[in-house]
Amino acid sequence: MTQFVSRRSLLTTGTLGLGAFSIPGFAQTPTISAARGFTHSVASGEPGPDAMLFWTRYVPASGDSATLKVEASETPDFSRVAGGGAMTTGAWRDWTAKITVSGLLPGRIYHYRFVAPDGAMSPVGTAKTLPDDRARQFRTAIFSCSNIGFGFFNAYAHAAARDDIDLCVHLGDYFYEYAPNNYPATKDAIPGRVPLPATEIIHLADYRLRYASYRADPDLQALHAKFAMIAQWDDHESANDSWEGGAQNHDPAKEGDWNTRRAAAIQAYREWMPVSDEAWESYDIGTLGTLFRTETRLLARTHQHEIEDIAVGPDPARALAAFRDGAWRDPTATMMGTTQEAWLAHAMRKSVQAGKRWQVVGFGTIMGNTSTPPQARDWLTENNPRARAYVDRAIMAAKAGLPSNLDGWGGYPEARARFLNAAQAAQANLIVISGDSHNAWAYDLAQGSAVGVEFAGQGVTSPGYESALAADPKVVAKAMVAANPELKWCDTSRRGYMAMTLTPDRVTNDWLFVDTIKSRTPRASVGHTATVRRGRAKMEA
């Protein structure tokens, strides 16, 4: 199925004059940081059946603090205001404002706007509250891995023009922390899509400016203005492969104390995103299910291992086997920490006992077991020694019974087992949604017996396997599925987003792939659909 979104329908979903941001170089424009008034449209999040969090950013002409009001109405003309609130913002929070309005009705679309002290009004956004127990269907658009330098956010634009979406979920890597000519390299970057600041982001001011730069994108603004979003961070909102005590892309000798950088990343995220300050949360979708937002990066994650650090010495295979039988199985290694693990186990059980039909858990990284087949060496492009070395190590790891990526759940097998055991004990109808890999995957998750399914989404723009492979993606997919019992389908070549539909007795997930990210073309098609029936814990397709 091909879905095309016309420029006219795209523009009608926007609330700013989008043409003002569509010129080449908008992400670098100095006026991003110098702008006054409502600088970045509006956004919403943290939905409930009777409440919603509304976000904006307003800088008064004086550059001083300002008190903003928000109004929510079921009618676009605001003839009857259903609720509102007020707060004061200023430089201490980068002039962002988050106001939670309660007293709303379930399953309703609300129009909302902010009012400045001088009477100026923000663009108008829309957001839908979560439904009550009468709901029979709920559709969520799911995104991850949005690197502005690699291309246009056509996945955002396509979703923003749809009228059949109830909620958006972002599973992390909302932006990337790198300096220009790093990821992407200059030769791979789209002209004009180089975000500010022109350095790697380390300090609070850097993180704030990177958000300001990304949020100037018209398609991201359109998505936020159209739908409420439940968002959680992964690693690039701080630094690549981050964990509680550091990150792969952090050098204390040159970049200072990790805790200072981590605190800056968290503060800027909570300022610029329509999120609460709670690290994890649950959201009941009537009786259809419960969605769980988790945190698996900055607060309790144990330092991840790297295959390149293990497969060394005169006998790398022996070193990998020793790791498999030792450190890899460390029961103290965790992604969530014991407090969150206990909360999630209890919350899943509570959801089941309350009669919720599905338990949907969002993770930043993939849970399904994934290893690299030996034929992967034949898929590589020529003259890519770095990729060849990576693949050779991954093949060696697979022969030792290890996954290809130790930064995901595959690197924490005991923590994975604890989560899946908790889902089994709760008798959950488990759906895991995840991002991080930039490619699209569908898994049947097992822990002794079938536990649930995982829908892992492709990146909005960030490149995946295809960037280093010359092989036909269909050949790659066939070999990956054959080599991994939990893996039922994959696509390792295209960008886009997922659209997941909950009904009482089945969940259906569509992987939508955009035609291109090299030009601003909001056209996408469904490349694969998978369905799971309640009580089956396995996909039908």
Side-chain angles (χ1 to χ4, degrees):
M1 177 177 66
T2 298
Q3 299 179 349
F4 182 76
V5 180
S6 69
R7 179 168 175 80
R8 179 180 297 275
S9 63
L10 175 64
L11 290 175
T12 59
T13 66
T15 53
L16 281 180
L18 297 188
F21 292 92
S22 62
I23 59 173
F26 76 88
Q28 296 175 291
T29 305
T31 54
I32 287 177
S33 57
R36 294 293 184 264
F38 290 101
T39 65
H40 285 79
S41 191
V42 294
S44 61
E46 301 298 328
D50 61 353
M52 186 72 66
L53 181 153
F54 299 111
W55 178 99
T56 196
R57 182 173 187 266
Y58 177 81
V59 184
S62 65
D64 202 352
S65 62
T67 298
L68 302 177
K69 298 179 181 179
V70 69
E71 299 173 337
S73 173
E74 288 190 58
T75 60
D77 61 359
F78 291 85
S79 58
R80 187 176 69 257
V81 174
M87 73 166 289
T88 300
T89 186
W92 64 88
R93 55 178 303 116
D94 205 14
W95 290 279
T96 61
K98 296 189 297 188
I99 302 174
T100 296
V101 175
S102 58
L104 306 178
L105 297 175
R108 304 289 181 91
I109 295 175
Y110 285 90
H111 304 263
Y112 65 95
R113 66 188 180 190
F114 287 82
V115 183
D118 63 358
M121 294 185 181
S122 73
V124 175
T126 55
K128 190 174 184 179
T129 51
L130 295 182
D132 59 20
D133 292 350
R134 293 171 292 180
R136 308 299 290 173
Q137 178 175 294
F138 190 87
R139 180 169 289 123
T140 304
I142 304 167
F143 305 91
S144 63
C145 305
S146 315
N147 190 315
I148 202 169
F150 278 108
F152 289 88
F153 291 158
N154 291 324
Y156 292 155
H158 187 271
R162 295 178 63 165
D163 293 320
D164 60 345
I165 300 295
D166 297 298
L167 175 70
C168 289
V169 169
H170 205 293
L171 294 171
D173 296 347
Y174 184 89
F175 70 24
Y176 285 71
E177 83 278 16
Y178 297 111
N181 195 27
N182 189 323
Y183 186 73
T186 299
K187 65 180 181 63
D188 298 318
I190 299 297
R193 292 183 70 81
V194 180
L196 290 172
T199 61
E200 182 180 334
I201 55 175
I202 299 171
H203 308 292
L204 178 58
D206 302 335
Y207 282 97
R208 285 170 165 175
L209 186 53
R210 186 61 56 91
Y211 278 108
S213 194
Y214 265 68
R215 290 286 290 275
D217 182 90
D219 299 316
L220 181 51
Q221 286 194 2
L223 183 75
H224 275 301
K226 182 72 174 290
F227 304 114
M229 177 182 285
I230 293 174
Q232 60 191 66
W233 61 57
D234 193 32
D235 54 338
H236 290 290
E237 289 89 346
S238 55
N240 183 56
D241 286 0
S242 50
W243 59 287
E244 181 184 12
Q248 177 276 327
N249 191 29
H250 181 75
D251 183 352
K254 297 179 180 179
E255 298 170 335
D257 181 63
W258 166 249
N259 288 325
T260 301
R261 184 176 184 179
R262 180 179 68 162
I266 291 173
Q267 179 176 336
Y269 186 88
R270 288 174 173 169
E271 289 171 348
W272 276 86
M273 297 296 289
V275 297
S276 74
D277 291 345
E278 298 296 327
W280 50 80
E281 189 56 272
S282 63
Y283 309 84
D284 287 332
I285 306 169
T287 57
L288 288 175
T290 305
L291 173 63
F292 301 94
R293 172 171 61 82
T294 66
E295 196 289 319
T296 58
R297 273 292 172 190
L298 298 179
L299 303 185
R301 176 192 273 251
T302 307
H303 192 190
Q304 61 272 71
H305 296 278
E306 296 284 348
I307 291 176
E308 63 182 311
D309 296 331
I310 301 165
V312 296
D315 192 345
R318 184 175 181 179
L320 285 165
F323 169 75
R324 176 201 62 208
D325 297 334
W328 185 54
R329 302 181 187 276
D330 181 1
T332 68
T334 177
M335 294 184 79
M336 293 190 289
T338 57
T339 300
Q340 188 182 179
E341 282 187 11
W343 165 80
L344 185 53
H346 174 78
M348 286 192 295
R349 184 168 63 251
K350 181 179 178 182
S351 172
V352 172
Q353 291 172 346
K356 311 300 181 184
R357 307 287 286 181
W358 301 94
Q359 287 68 48
V360 183
V361 184
F363 290 127
T365 55
I366 289 174
M367 177 163 284
N369 286 323
T370 315
S371 60
T372 302
Q375 56 265 55
R377 206 169 194 275
D378 301 327
W379 301 340
L380 294 168
T381 57
E382 295 181 1
N383 302 319
N384 195 335
R386 181 179 178 184
R388 190 167 298 279
Y390 176 88
V391 169
D392 284 346
R393 288 192 296 266
I395 292 171
M396 199 182 310
K399 290 179 179 178
L402 293 167
S404 56
N405 178 24
L406 299 180
D407 181 60
W409 283 93
Y412 303 78
E414 296 299 317
R416 174 190 140 115
R418 290 194 295 270
F419 167 73
L420 292 177
N421 285 335
Q424 285 180 319
Q427 298 184 317
N429 282 277
L430 178 66
I431 306 290
V432 170
I433 54 176
S434 59
D436 180 67
S437 78
H438 307 175
N439 291 128
W441 315 84
Y443 300 87
D444 284 343
L445 300 173
Q447 181 66 23
S449 59
V451 183
V453 305
E454 178 176 17
F455 304 136
Q458 67 277 30
V460 170
T461 58
S462 301
Y465 278 25
E466 77 286 351
S467 61
L469 303 184
D472 184 339
K474 293 180 180 178
V475 172
V476 175
K478 184 177 180 181
M480 292 296 294
V481 170
N484 293 283
E486 287 190 339
L487 181 62
K488 302 307 172 185
W489 169 86
C490 67
D491 181 286
T492 60
S493 64
R494 294 180 288 177
R495 312 278 70 77
Y497 69 104
M498 300 190 297
M500 181 181 68
T501 305
L502 301 182
T503 66
D505 297 317
R506 70 175 63 192
V507 175
T508 301
N509 192 66
D510 293 332
W511 284 264
L512 290 105
F513 298 103
V514 296
D515 285 5
T516 182
I517 59 172
K518 300 302 182 183
S519 63
R520 195 170 174 222
T521 307
R523 184 166 53 205
S525 58
V526 176
H528 185 72
T529 299
T531 299
V532 57
R533 293 179 186 270
R534 189 171 184 274
R536 300 285 180 87
K538 290 185 177 182
M539 281 175 283
E540 296 182 355

